[in-house]
CSV table of all heavy atoms in Angstrom, one decimal:
chain,number,residue,atom,x,y,z
Y,41,VAL,N,-16.5,8.7,20.7
Y,41,VAL,CA,-16.1,8.3,19.3
Y,41,VAL,C,-17.2,8.7,18.3
Y,41,VAL,O,-16.9,9.2,17.3
Y,41,VAL,CB,-15.9,6.8,19.3
Y,41,VAL,CG1,-15.7,6.3,17.9
Y,41,VAL,CG2,-14.7,6.4,20.1
Y,44,ASN,N,-16.9,12.4,17.7
Y,44,ASN,CA,-15.8,12.7,16.8
Y,44,ASN,C,-16.1,12.3,15.4
Y,44,ASN,O,-15.8,13.0,14.4
Y,44,ASN,CB,-14.6,11.9,17.2
Y,44,ASN,CG,-13.8,12.6,18.3
Y,44,ASN,OD1,-13.8,13.8,18.4
Y,44,ASN,ND2,-13.2,11.8,19.2
Y,45,ALA,N,-16.8,11.2,15.2
Y,45,ALA,CA,-17.1,10.7,13.9
Y,45,ALA,C,-18.0,11.7,13.2
Y,45,ALA,O,-17.9,12.1,12.0
Y,45,ALA,CB,-17.7,9.3,13.9
Y,47,LEU,N,-18.3,14.9,13.8
Y,47,LEU,CA,-17.6,16.1,13.5
Y,47,LEU,C,-16.7,15.9,12.3
Y,47,LEU,O,-16.5,16.9,11.5
Y,47,LEU,CB,-16.8,16.6,14.7
Y,47,LEU,CG,-17.7,17.1,15.8
Y,47,LEU,CD1,-16.8,17.5,17.0
Y,47,LEU,CD2,-18.6,18.3,15.4
Y,48,MET,N,-16.3,14.7,12.1
Y,48,MET,CA,-15.4,14.4,11.0
Y,48,MET,C,-16.1,14.4,9.7
Y,48,MET,O,-15.5,14.6,8.6
Y,48,MET,CB,-14.7,13.1,11.3
Y,48,MET,CG,-13.4,12.9,10.4
Y,48,MET,SD,-12.5,11.5,10.9
Y,48,MET,CE,-13.7,10.2,10.5
Y,49,LEU,N,-17.4,14.1,9.8
Y,49,LEU,CA,-18.2,13.9,8.5
Y,49,LEU,C,-18.1,15.1,7.6
Y,49,LEU,O,-18.1,15.0,6.4
Y,49,LEU,CB,-19.6,13.6,8.9
Y,49,LEU,CG,-20.0,12.1,9.1
Y,49,LEU,CD1,-21.4,12.0,9.6
Y,49,LEU,CD2,-19.9,11.4,7.8
Y,50,HIS,N,-18.2,16.3,8.2
Y,50,HIS,CA,-18.3,17.5,7.4
Y,50,HIS,C,-17.6,18.6,8.2
Y,50,HIS,O,-17.8,18.6,9.4
Y,50,HIS,CB,-19.7,17.8,7.1
Y,50,HIS,CG,-19.8,18.7,5.9
Y,50,HIS,ND1,-19.6,20.1,6.1
Y,50,HIS,CD2,-20.2,18.5,4.7
Y,50,HIS,CE1,-19.8,20.6,4.9
Y,50,HIS,NE2,-20.1,19.7,4.0
Y,51,ARG,N,-16.9,19.5,7.5
Y,51,ARG,CA,-16.2,20.5,8.3
Y,51,ARG,C,-17.2,21.5,8.9
Y,51,ARG,O,-16.8,22.2,9.8
Y,51,ARG,CB,-15.1,21.2,7.5
Y,51,ARG,CG,-15.6,22.0,6.4
Y,51,ARG,CD,-14.5,22.3,5.5
Y,51,ARG,NE,-13.7,23.4,6.0
Y,51,ARG,CZ,-13.9,24.7,5.8
Y,51,ARG,NH1,-14.9,25.0,5.0
Y,51,ARG,NH2,-13.1,25.6,6.3
Y,80,LYS,N,-14.5,34.9,13.2
Y,80,LYS,CA,-13.0,34.8,13.4
Y,80,LYS,C,-12.7,34.7,14.8
Y,80,LYS,O,-13.1,35.5,15.6
Y,80,LYS,CB,-12.3,36.1,12.8
Y,80,LYS,CG,-12.5,36.2,11.3
Y,80,LYS,CD,-11.8,37.5,10.8
Y,80,LYS,CE,-12.2,37.7,9.4
Y,80,LYS,NZ,-11.8,39.0,8.9
Y,81,GLN,N,-12.2,33.5,15.2
Y,81,GLN,CA,-12.0,33.3,16.6
Y,81,GLN,C,-10.7,33.9,17.2
Y,81,GLN,O,-9.7,33.9,16.5
Y,81,GLN,CB,-12.0,31.8,16.9
Y,81,GLN,CG,-13.4,31.3,16.8
Y,81,GLN,CD,-13.5,29.9,16.2
Y,81,GLN,OE1,-12.4,29.2,16.1
Y,81,GLN,NE2,-14.7,29.4,15.9
Y,83,PHE,N,-7.6,33.7,19.9
Y,83,PHE,CA,-6.8,32.5,20.3
Y,83,PHE,C,-7.5,31.8,21.5
Y,83,PHE,O,-7.7,32.5,22.5
Y,83,PHE,CB,-5.4,33.0,20.6
Y,83,PHE,CG,-4.6,31.8,21.0
Y,83,PHE,CD1,-4.2,30.8,20.1
Y,83,PHE,CD2,-4.2,31.7,22.4
Y,83,PHE,CE1,-3.4,29.8,20.5
Y,83,PHE,CE2,-3.4,30.6,22.8
Y,83,PHE,CZ,-3.0,29.7,21.8
Y,87,LEU,N,-9.1,25.1,21.9
Y,87,LEU,CA,-9.3,24.6,20.6
Y,87,LEU,C,-8.6,23.4,20.3
Y,87,LEU,O,-9.1,22.5,19.5
Y,87,LEU,CB,-8.9,25.7,19.6
Y,87,LEU,CG,-9.9,26.8,19.2
Y,87,LEU,CD1,-9.4,27.7,18.2
Y,87,LEU,CD2,-11.2,26.1,18.8
Y,88,SER,N,-7.4,23.3,20.8
Y,88,SER,CA,-6.6,22.1,20.4
Y,88,SER,C,-6.8,21.0,21.5
Y,88,SER,O,-6.1,20.0,21.4
Y,88,SER,CB,-5.2,22.5,20.3
Y,88,SER,OG,-4.8,23.4,21.2
Y,210,LEU,N,-21.9,1.5,19.9
Y,210,LEU,CA,-21.1,2.4,18.9
Y,210,LEU,C,-21.5,2.0,17.5
Y,210,LEU,O,-21.7,2.9,16.7
Y,210,LEU,CB,-19.6,2.2,19.1
Y,210,LEU,CG,-18.8,3.0,18.2
Y,210,LEU,CD1,-19.1,4.5,18.4
Y,210,LEU,CD2,-17.3,2.7,18.4
Y,211,GLN,N,-21.6,0.7,17.2
Y,211,GLN,CA,-21.9,0.3,15.8
Y,211,GLN,C,-23.3,0.9,15.4
Y,211,GLN,O,-23.5,1.3,14.3
Y,211,GLN,CB,-21.8,-1.2,15.7
Y,211,GLN,CG,-21.9,-1.7,14.3
Y,211,GLN,CD,-20.7,-1.2,13.4
Y,211,GLN,OE1,-19.6,-1.0,13.9
Y,211,GLN,NE2,-21.0,-0.9,12.2
Y,214,LEU,N,-23.0,4.6,14.9
Y,214,LEU,CA,-22.3,5.0,13.7
Y,214,LEU,C,-23.1,4.7,12.4
Y,214,LEU,O,-23.1,5.4,11.4
Y,214,LEU,CB,-20.9,4.3,13.6
Y,214,LEU,CG,-19.8,4.8,14.5
Y,214,LEU,CD1,-18.5,4.0,14.2
Y,214,LEU,CD2,-19.6,6.3,14.2
Y,215,SER,N,-23.8,3.5,12.5
Y,215,SER,CA,-24.5,3.1,11.3
Y,215,SER,C,-25.9,3.7,11.1
Y,215,SER,O,-26.4,3.8,10.0
Y,215,SER,CB,-24.5,1.6,11.1
Y,215,SER,OG,-24.7,1.0,12.2
Y,218,ALA,N,-25.5,8.4,12.5
Y,218,ALA,CA,-24.5,9.3,11.9
Y,218,ALA,C,-25.0,9.6,10.5
Y,218,ALA,O,-24.5,10.5,9.8
Y,218,ALA,CB,-23.2,8.6,11.8
Y,219,VAL,N,-26.1,9.0,10.1
Y,219,VAL,CA,-26.6,9.3,8.7
Y,219,VAL,C,-27.3,10.7,8.7
Y,219,VAL,O,-28.2,10.9,9.5
Y,219,VAL,CB,-27.6,8.2,8.3
Y,219,VAL,CG1,-28.1,8.5,6.9
Y,219,VAL,CG2,-27.1,6.8,8.4
Y,220,ASP,N,-26.7,11.6,7.9
Y,220,ASP,CA,-27.3,12.9,7.9
Y,220,ASP,C,-28.6,13.0,7.2
Y,220,ASP,O,-29.0,12.1,6.5
Y,220,ASP,CB,-26.2,13.9,7.3
Y,220,ASP,CG,-25.8,13.5,6.0
Y,220,ASP,OD1,-24.9,12.7,5.9
Y,220,ASP,OD2,-26.5,13.9,5.0
Y,222,PHE,N,-29.5,14.6,4.6
Y,222,PHE,CA,-29.5,14.5,3.2
Y,222,PHE,C,-29.4,13.1,2.7
Y,222,PHE,O,-30.2,12.7,1.9
Y,222,PHE,CB,-28.2,15.3,2.7
Y,222,PHE,CG,-28.0,15.2,1.2
Y,222,PHE,CD1,-28.9,15.9,0.4
Y,222,PHE,CD2,-27.0,14.5,0.7
Y,222,PHE,CE1,-28.7,15.8,-1.0
Y,222,PHE,CE2,-26.8,14.4,-0.7
Y,222,PHE,CZ,-27.6,15.1,-1.5
Y,223,SER,N,-28.6,12.3,3.4
Y,223,SER,CA,-28.4,10.9,3.0
Y,223,SER,C,-29.6,10.0,3.3
Y,223,SER,O,-29.8,9.0,2.8
Y,223,SER,CB,-27.2,10.3,3.7
Y,223,SER,OG,-26.1,11.1,3.4
Y,225,GLN,N,-32.4,10.4,2.4
Y,225,GLN,CA,-33.3,10.2,1.2
Y,225,GLN,C,-32.9,8.9,0.5
Y,225,GLN,O,-33.7,8.3,-0.1
Y,225,GLN,CB,-33.1,11.3,0.2
Y,225,GLN,CG,-33.3,12.7,0.8
Y,225,GLN,CD,-32.8,13.7,-0.2
Y,225,GLN,OE1,-32.9,13.6,-1.4
Y,225,GLN,NE2,-32.2,14.8,0.3
Y,226,PHE,N,-31.6,8.5,0.6
Y,226,PHE,CA,-31.2,7.4,-0.2
Y,226,PHE,C,-31.0,6.1,0.6
Y,226,PHE,O,-31.0,5.1,0.1
Y,226,PHE,CB,-29.8,7.7,-0.8
Y,226,PHE,CG,-29.7,9.1,-1.4
Y,226,PHE,CD1,-28.8,10.0,-0.9
Y,226,PHE,CD2,-30.6,9.5,-2.3
Y,226,PHE,CE1,-28.7,11.3,-1.4
Y,226,PHE,CE2,-30.5,10.8,-2.8
Y,226,PHE,CZ,-29.6,11.7,-2.4
Y,227,MET,N,-30.8,6.3,1.9
Y,227,MET,CA,-30.4,5.1,2.7
Y,227,MET,C,-31.6,4.5,3.4
Y,227,MET,O,-32.4,5.2,3.9
Y,227,MET,CB,-29.3,5.4,3.7
Y,227,MET,CG,-28.1,6.2,3.0
Y,227,MET,SD,-26.5,5.7,3.4
Y,227,MET,CE,-26.4,4.3,4.2
Y,228,GLU,N,-31.5,3.2,3.5
Y,228,GLU,CA,-32.5,2.5,4.3
Y,228,GLU,C,-32.0,2.4,5.7
Y,228,GLU,O,-31.0,1.8,6.0
Y,228,GLU,CB,-32.7,1.1,3.8
Y,228,GLU,CG,-33.3,0.9,2.4
Y,228,GLU,CD,-34.8,0.9,2.3
Y,228,GLU,OE1,-35.4,1.2,3.4
Y,228,GLU,OE2,-35.3,0.5,1.3
C,56,GLN,N,-8.5,11.5,7.2
C,56,GLN,CA,-9.7,12.3,7.6
C,56,GLN,C,-10.1,13.2,6.4
C,56,GLN,O,-11.3,13.4,6.2
C,56,GLN,CB,-9.4,13.1,8.8
C,56,GLN,CG,-9.3,12.2,10.1
C,56,GLN,CD,-9.2,13.0,11.3
C,56,GLN,OE1,-9.9,14.0,11.5
C,56,GLN,NE2,-8.3,12.6,12.2
C,59,PHE,N,-11.7,11.2,3.8
C,59,PHE,CA,-13.0,10.8,4.2
C,59,PHE,C,-14.0,11.9,4.0
C,59,PHE,O,-15.1,11.7,3.6
C,59,PHE,CB,-12.9,10.4,5.7
C,59,PHE,CG,-14.2,10.1,6.3
C,59,PHE,CD1,-14.9,8.9,6.0
C,59,PHE,CD2,-14.8,10.9,7.2
C,59,PHE,CE1,-16.1,8.6,6.6
C,59,PHE,CE2,-16.1,10.7,7.8
C,59,PHE,CZ,-16.7,9.5,7.5
C,60,ARG,N,-13.6,13.2,4.4
C,60,ARG,CA,-14.5,14.3,4.3
C,60,ARG,C,-14.9,14.6,2.9
C,60,ARG,O,-16.0,15.1,2.6
C,60,ARG,CB,-13.8,15.5,4.9
C,60,ARG,CG,-14.2,15.7,6.3
C,60,ARG,CD,-13.8,17.1,6.8
C,60,ARG,NE,-14.0,17.1,8.2
C,60,ARG,CZ,-13.5,18.1,9.0
C,60,ARG,NH1,-12.9,19.1,8.5
C,60,ARG,NH2,-13.8,18.0,10.3
C,64,PRO,N,-21.6,11.7,0.1
C,64,PRO,CA,-22.3,11.4,1.4
C,64,PRO,C,-22.6,9.9,1.7
C,64,PRO,O,-22.3,9.5,2.8
C,64,PRO,CB,-23.6,12.2,1.3
C,64,PRO,CG,-23.4,13.2,0.3
C,64,PRO,CD,-22.3,12.7,-0.6
C,67,LYS,N,-19.5,8.0,2.6
C,67,LYS,CA,-19.1,8.3,4.0
C,67,LYS,C,-19.8,7.4,5.0
C,67,LYS,O,-19.2,6.8,5.9
C,67,LYS,CB,-19.5,9.7,4.4
C,67,LYS,CG,-18.5,10.8,3.9
C,67,LYS,CD,-19.0,12.1,4.4
C,67,LYS,CE,-18.4,13.3,3.7
C,67,LYS,NZ,-19.0,14.5,4.0
C,68,GLN,N,-21.1,7.2,4.7
C,68,GLN,CA,-21.8,6.3,5.6
C,68,GLN,C,-21.3,4.9,5.5
C,68,GLN,O,-21.2,4.2,6.5
C,68,GLN,CB,-23.3,6.4,5.3
C,68,GLN,CG,-23.9,7.8,5.4
C,68,GLN,CD,-23.8,8.3,6.8
C,68,GLN,OE1,-23.7,7.6,7.8
C,68,GLN,NE2,-23.8,9.6,6.9
C,71,LEU,N,-18.2,4.6,7.6
C,71,LEU,CA,-18.5,4.6,9.0
C,71,LEU,C,-19.0,3.2,9.4
C,71,LEU,O,-18.7,2.7,10.5
C,71,LEU,CB,-19.6,5.7,9.3
C,71,LEU,CG,-19.1,7.1,9.6
C,71,LEU,CD1,-20.2,7.9,10.2
C,71,LEU,CD2,-17.9,7.0,10.6
C,72,ARG,N,-19.9,2.6,8.6
C,72,ARG,CA,-20.4,1.3,9.0
C,72,ARG,C,-19.4,0.3,9.0
C,72,ARG,O,-19.5,-0.7,9.8
C,72,ARG,CB,-21.5,1.0,8.1
C,72,ARG,CG,-22.8,1.8,8.3
C,72,ARG,CD,-23.9,1.5,7.4
C,72,ARG,NE,-25.0,2.3,7.8
C,72,ARG,CZ,-26.3,2.1,7.4
C,72,ARG,NH1,-26.6,1.1,6.6
C,72,ARG,NH2,-27.2,2.9,7.7
C,75,TYR,N,-15.5,-0.2,12.2
C,75,TYR,CA,-15.1,-1.1,13.3
C,75,TYR,C,-15.5,-2.5,13.0
C,75,TYR,O,-15.7,-3.3,13.9
C,75,TYR,CB,-15.8,-0.6,14.6
C,75,TYR,CG,-15.2,0.6,15.2
C,75,TYR,CD1,-15.6,1.9,14.8
C,75,TYR,CD2,-14.1,0.5,16.0
C,75,TYR,CE1,-15.0,3.0,15.3
C,75,TYR,CE2,-13.4,1.6,16.5
C,75,TYR,CZ,-13.9,2.8,16.1
C,75,TYR,OH,-13.2,3.9,16.6
C,88,TRP,N,-28.4,-1.6,2.2
C,88,TRP,CA,-28.4,-0.4,3.0
C,88,TRP,C,-29.1,0.7,2.3
C,88,TRP,O,-29.4,1.7,2.9
C,88,TRP,CB,-27.0,0.0,3.3
C,88,TRP,CG,-26.3,-0.9,4.3
C,88,TRP,CD1,-26.9,-1.8,5.1
C,88,TRP,CD2,-24.9,-1.0,4.5
C,88,TRP,NE1,-26.0,-2.5,5.8
C,88,TRP,CE2,-24.7,-2.0,5.5
C,88,TRP,CE3,-23.8,-0.4,4.0
C,88,TRP,CZ2,-23.5,-2.4,6.0
C,88,TRP,CZ3,-22.6,-0.7,4.5
C,88,TRP,CH2,-22.4,-1.7,5.5
C,89,ILE,N,-29.2,0.6,1.0
C,89,ILE,CA,-29.6,1.8,0.2
C,89,ILE,C,-31.0,1.5,-0.3
C,89,ILE,O,-31.4,0.4,-0.6
C,89,ILE,CB,-28.6,2.0,-0.9
C,89,ILE,CG1,-28.7,3.4,-1.4
C,89,ILE,CG2,-28.8,1.1,-2.0
C,89,ILE,CD1,-27.5,4.2,-1.1
C,90,ALA,N,-31.8,2.6,-0.4
C,90,ALA,CA,-33.2,2.5,-0.9
C,90,ALA,C,-33.1,2.1,-2.4
C,90,ALA,O,-32.2,2.4,-3.1
C,90,ALA,CB,-33.9,3.9,-0.8
C,92,LYS,N,-34.6,2.9,-5.0
C,92,LYS,CA,-34.7,3.9,-6.1
C,92,LYS,C,-33.4,4.7,-6.2
C,92,LYS,O,-33.2,5.3,-7.2
C,92,LYS,CB,-35.9,4.9,-5.8
C,92,LYS,CG,-35.8,5.6,-4.5
C,92,LYS,CD,-37.0,6.5,-4.3
C,92,LYS,CE,-37.0,7.4,-3.2
C,92,LYS,NZ,-36.5,7.0,-1.9
C,93,SER,N,-32.6,4.6,-5.2
C,93,SER,CA,-31.3,5.4,-5.4
C,93,SER,C,-30.1,4.5,-5.5
C,93,SER,O,-29.1,4.8,-4.9
C,93,SER,CB,-31.2,6.4,-4.2
C,93,SER,OG,-31.7,5.9,-3.0
C,96,LYS,N,-26.8,6.1,-6.6
C,96,LYS,CA,-25.9,6.6,-5.5
C,96,LYS,C,-25.0,5.6,-5.0
C,96,LYS,O,-23.8,5.8,-4.7
C,96,LYS,CB,-26.7,7.2,-4.4
C,96,LYS,CG,-27.7,8.3,-4.7
C,96,LYS,CD,-27.0,9.6,-4.6
C,96,LYS,CE,-27.9,10.7,-5.2
C,96,LYS,NZ,-27.2,11.9,-5.4
C,133,LEU,N,-8.0,6.0,10.4
C,133,LEU,CA,-9.3,6.7,10.6
C,133,LEU,C,-9.8,6.4,12.0
C,133,LEU,O,-10.2,7.3,12.7
C,133,LEU,CB,-10.3,6.3,9.6
C,133,LEU,CG,-11.4,7.2,9.4
C,133,LEU,CD1,-10.9,8.6,8.9
C,133,LEU,CD2,-12.4,6.7,8.4
C,137,ILE,N,-10.4,9.2,14.8
C,137,ILE,CA,-11.7,9.3,15.4
C,137,ILE,C,-11.7,9.2,16.9
C,137,ILE,O,-12.4,9.8,17.6
C,137,ILE,CB,-12.7,8.2,14.8
C,137,ILE,CG1,-13.9,8.8,14.2
C,137,ILE,CG2,-13.0,7.1,15.7
C,137,ILE,CD1,-14.8,7.8,13.5
C,141,ALA,N,-7.4,15.4,17.9
C,141,ALA,CA,-7.4,16.8,18.3
C,141,ALA,C,-6.9,17.6,17.1
C,141,ALA,O,-6.1,17.0,16.4
C,141,ALA,CB,-6.5,17.0,19.5
C,142,PRO,N,-7.3,18.8,16.9
C,142,PRO,CA,-6.7,19.5,15.8
C,142,PRO,C,-5.2,19.7,16.0
C,142,PRO,O,-4.7,19.6,17.2
C,142,PRO,CB,-7.4,20.9,15.8
C,142,PRO,CG,-8.3,20.9,17.0
C,142,PRO,CD,-8.3,19.5,17.6
C,145,ILE,N,-1.8,24.2,18.2
C,145,ILE,CA,-1.4,25.6,17.9
C,145,ILE,C,-0.3,25.9,18.8
C,145,ILE,O,-0.3,25.7,20.0
C,145,ILE,CB,-2.6,26.5,18.2
C,145,ILE,CG1,-3.7,26.2,17.2
C,145,ILE,CG2,-2.2,28.0,18.0
C,145,ILE,CD1,-5.0,26.9,17.5
C,163,ASP,N,-4.3,39.1,7.0
C,163,ASP,CA,-5.2,39.1,5.9
C,163,ASP,C,-4.7,40.1,4.8
C,163,ASP,O,-4.7,39.8,3.6
C,163,ASP,CB,-6.6,39.6,6.3
C,163,ASP,CG,-7.3,38.5,7.0
C,163,ASP,OD1,-6.7,37.4,7.1
C,163,ASP,OD2,-8.4,38.7,7.6
C,266,GLN,N,-6.2,26.0,11.9
C,266,GLN,CA,-6.9,27.2,12.0
C,266,GLN,C,-6.1,28.3,11.2
C,266,GLN,O,-5.0,28.5,11.5
C,266,GLN,CB,-7.0,27.7,13.5
C,266,GLN,CG,-7.9,26.7,14.3
C,266,GLN,CD,-9.3,27.0,14.1
C,266,GLN,OE1,-9.7,28.2,14.0
C,266,GLN,NE2,-10.1,26.0,14.2
C,269,GLN,N,-3.5,31.4,12.9
C,269,GLN,CA,-2.9,30.9,14.1
C,269,GLN,C,-1.5,30.4,13.9
C,269,GLN,O,-1.2,29.9,12.8
C,269,GLN,CB,-3.7,29.8,14.7
C,269,GLN,CG,-5.1,30.1,15.1
C,269,GLN,CD,-5.3,31.1,16.2
C,269,GLN,OE1,-4.3,31.4,16.9
C,269,GLN,NE2,-6.5,31.6,16.4
C,318,ALA,N,-11.3,20.0,1.7
C,318,ALA,CA,-12.3,19.2,2.5
C,318,ALA,C,-13.6,19.1,1.7
C,318,ALA,O,-14.6,18.6,2.3
C,318,ALA,CB,-12.4,19.8,3.8
C,320,THR,N,-15.8,21.3,0.4
C,320,THR,CA,-16.9,22.3,0.4
C,320,THR,C,-16.3,23.6,-0.1
C,320,THR,O,-15.3,24.0,0.5
C,320,THR,CB,-17.5,22.5,1.7
C,320,THR,OG1,-16.5,22.5,2.7
C,320,THR,CG2,-18.5,21.4,2.0
Side-chain angles (χ1 to χ4, degrees):
Chain Y
V41 170
N44 277 331
L47 291 177
M48 197 172 65
L49 270 171
H50 199 284
R51 65 193 284 269
K80 292 176 189 172
Q81 283 145 13
F83 178 70
L87 271 184
S88 37
L210 180 61
Q211 193 59 36
L214 286 183
S215 41
V219 183
D220 53 272
F222 176 71
S223 305
Q225 303 166 40
F226 318 119
M227 308 224 13
E228 295 272 15
Chain C
Q56 290 189 42
F59 175 75
R60 268 193 187 167
K67 281 185 196 171
Q68 301 300 336
L71 273 190
R72 287 181 179 194
Y75 284 92
W88 290 342
I89 199 112
K92 60 183 191 311
S93 31
K96 299 271 173 193
L133 202 61
I137 232 176
I145 296 173
D163 284 356
Q266 295 277 325
Q269 298 293 349
T320 39

